[in-house]
């Protein structure tokens, strides 16, 4: 059989918002028979013209295919949409953003209704969906059998990264990475604020900032190595004591530039606390322990 004649898995997709519509288009373009449902029916009209079957209700859409993908606003909307659906024997893939606890509760709820469950945390925005090499991917966790069975179909819209049997893990990875992203944005906001009133072109400053962040990012591998081994001095490049000694200069510069230190001060405070506990020869890794205590 050539690739063109291999039968493509039929997919039911509930939810045609910005993300759901992007997902739908990639499955249609790849030749997967697709049945869609959306609470507001008008959003399905363009997809019908592109070859999707449109179900009148979520119940009907779920009845058509064994692989059911849900991409709705939030966990409450998943509960609403699937309230009357017969999930027995279905493979439910939930791509609706939620907390790890919601993902686990929904997994239990799905199991009680006789279905297998996989949760997906989407690390992409709609324009990245279906674009090879866009860098977008989806974290999956939950039933490993379900993941293996549908891996190729799930890989059509975006890359797949399976992170474990615990249905909450994909959501946890998703939130962890996005939280780190906001920390990076917070640092960048502080940096731009420092130059804001000066005769420095933000457009000239931006590439310097971006390159610096990229150069510093691999430090997370050293952090992981230290967390695994339990020795936070292992491979240390800049000791905590040295770094804490530098923080008054950062805070004074902020004051002189008329910039609030509110984004960076909490981190500096944690560094000082760890130093006070005797972590001077360590890397910055001890801050993590202060957070989880
Ligand atoms: P949209 O706001 O564009 O669409 C929301 C969808 O949820 C619509 O189909 C809407 O239906 C439906 N919906 C809302 N409430 C209910 C309900 N009570 N019952 C049934 N359907 C309901 O969101 P997106 O498509 O952008 O996002 C979908 C999921 O993907 C979210 O969980 C989001 O966090 C996640 N995601 C989105 C990203 C993005 O950049 N857009 C990035 C990563 C993840 P209706 O048309 O009737 O309003």
């Amino acid at each position: 059989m050539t690739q063109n004649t291999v039968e493509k898995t039929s997919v039911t997709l509930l939810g045609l918002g910005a993300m759901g519509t992007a997902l739908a288009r990639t499955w249609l373009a790849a030749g997967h028979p697709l049945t869609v449902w959306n609470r507001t029916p008008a959003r399905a009209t363009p997809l019908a013209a592109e070859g999707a079957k449109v179900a009148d209700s979520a119940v009907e859409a779920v009845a058509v295919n064994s692989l059911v993908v849900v991409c709705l606003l939030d966990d409450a909307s998943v509960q609403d949409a699937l309230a009357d659906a017969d999930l027995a024997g279905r493979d439910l893939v939930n791509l609706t953003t939620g907390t790890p606890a919601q993902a686990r509760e929904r997994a239990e709820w799905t199991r009680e209704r006789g279905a297998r469950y996989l949760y997906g945390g989407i690390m992409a925005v709609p324009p990245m969906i279906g674009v090879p090499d866009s860098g977008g991917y989806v974290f999956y966790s939950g039933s490993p059998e379900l993941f293996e069975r549908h891996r190729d179909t799930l890989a059509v819209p975006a890359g797949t990264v399976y992170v474990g049997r615990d249905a909450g893990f994909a959501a946890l990875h998703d939130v962890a990475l996005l939280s780190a992203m906001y920390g990076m944005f917070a640092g960048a906001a502080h940096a731009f604020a420092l130059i804001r009133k000066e005769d420095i072109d933000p457009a000239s400053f931006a590439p310097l900032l971006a390159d610096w962040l990229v150069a510093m990012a691999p430090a997370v591998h050293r952090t992981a190595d230290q967390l695994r081994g339990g020795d936070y001095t292992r491979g240390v490049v800049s000791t905590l004591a040295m770094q804490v000694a530098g923080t008054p200069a950062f805070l004074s510069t902020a004051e002189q530039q008329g910039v609030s230190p509110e984004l960076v001060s909490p981190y500096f405070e944690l560094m000082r606390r760890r130093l006070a506990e005797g972590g001077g020869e360590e890397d910055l890794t001890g801050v993590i322990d202060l957070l989880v205590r």
Side-chain angles (χ1 to χ4, degrees):
M1 244 191 302
T2 66
Q3 208 179 353
N4 287 340
T5 57
V6 170
E7 204 177 314
K8 300 285 178 80
T9 302
S10 299
V11 182
T12 281
L13 174 64
L14 307 184
L16 297 173
M19 186 55 84
T21 299
L23 297 170
R25 291 216 153 98
T26 64
W27 277 313
L28 284 174
H32 287 263
L34 183 71
T35 298
V36 295
W37 170 83
N38 194 62
R39 181 182 61 178
T40 305
R43 285 179 119 164
T45 308
L47 290 167
E50 293 169 37
K53 286 185 203 135
V54 180
D56 289 334
S57 66
V59 171
E60 185 189 315
V62 169
V64 176
N65 293 310
S66 60
L67 175 57
V68 177
V69 180
V70 184
C71 187
L72 297 168
L73 185 63
D74 54 17
D75 188 58
S77 49
V78 175
Q79 184 144 24
D80 279 0
L82 293 175
D84 299 324
D86 179 5
L87 293 179
R90 295 290 175 260
D91 289 345
L92 186 69
V93 179
N94 184 10
L95 299 181
T96 303
T97 301
T99 66
Q102 283 172 333
R104 287 171 186 140
E105 281 162 22
R106 193 63 50 211
E108 194 48 40
W109 180 87
T110 306
R111 262 194 298 273
E112 284 165 6
R113 300 172 78 183
R116 272 180 291 261
Y117 184 82
L118 200 58
Y119 178 85
I122 305 174
M123 304 301 296
V125 291
M128 295 163 86
I129 298 297
V131 179
D133 304 326
S134 69
Y137 63 91
V138 180
F139 280 124
Y140 286 100
S141 66
S143 165
E145 298 81 20
L146 193 161
F147 179 70
E148 283 309 320
R149 178 182 308 164
H150 297 298
R151 179 181 211 142
D152 292 346
T153 303
L154 297 175
V156 169
T160 61
V161 179
Y162 181 76
V163 288
R165 193 177 277 275
D166 184 329
F169 275 12
L172 189 56
H173 280 71
D174 184 343
V175 170
L177 263 58
L178 291 175
S179 300
M181 177 192 78
Y182 281 114
M184 181 186 76
F185 287 159
H190 184 80
F192 276 116
L194 288 175
I195 65 153
R196 188 73 178 131
K197 293 186 199 149
E198 305 291 349
D199 185 19
I200 298 174
D201 180 359
S204 307
F205 183 72
L208 301 172
L209 179 56
D211 287 352
W212 178 245
L213 292 173
V214 168
M216 289 297 102
V220 299
H221 298 297
R222 193 170 60 243
T223 307
D225 185 49
Q226 292 166 353
L227 286 171
R228 270 183 144 192
D231 176 4
Y232 299 170
T233 65
R234 185 178 154 125
V236 66
V237 176
S238 308
T239 66
L240 179 67
M242 183 283 282
Q243 297 201 57
V244 169
T247 56
F250 297 142
L251 295 172
S252 298
T253 303
E255 194 176 358
Q256 287 155 21
Q257 295 302 111
V259 170
S260 164
E262 63 197 297
L263 287 175
V264 293
S265 284
Y267 192 65
F268 291 162
E269 179 52 32
L270 287 163
M271 288 164 62
R272 277 194 293 273
R273 272 174 55 198
R274 184 69 184 182
L275 177 65
E277 287 183 358
E281 294 309 307
E282 294 176 355
D283 217 315
L284 295 168
T285 306
V287 165
I288 298 164
D289 289 347
L290 293 179
L291 291 176
V292 296
R293 270 175 204 164

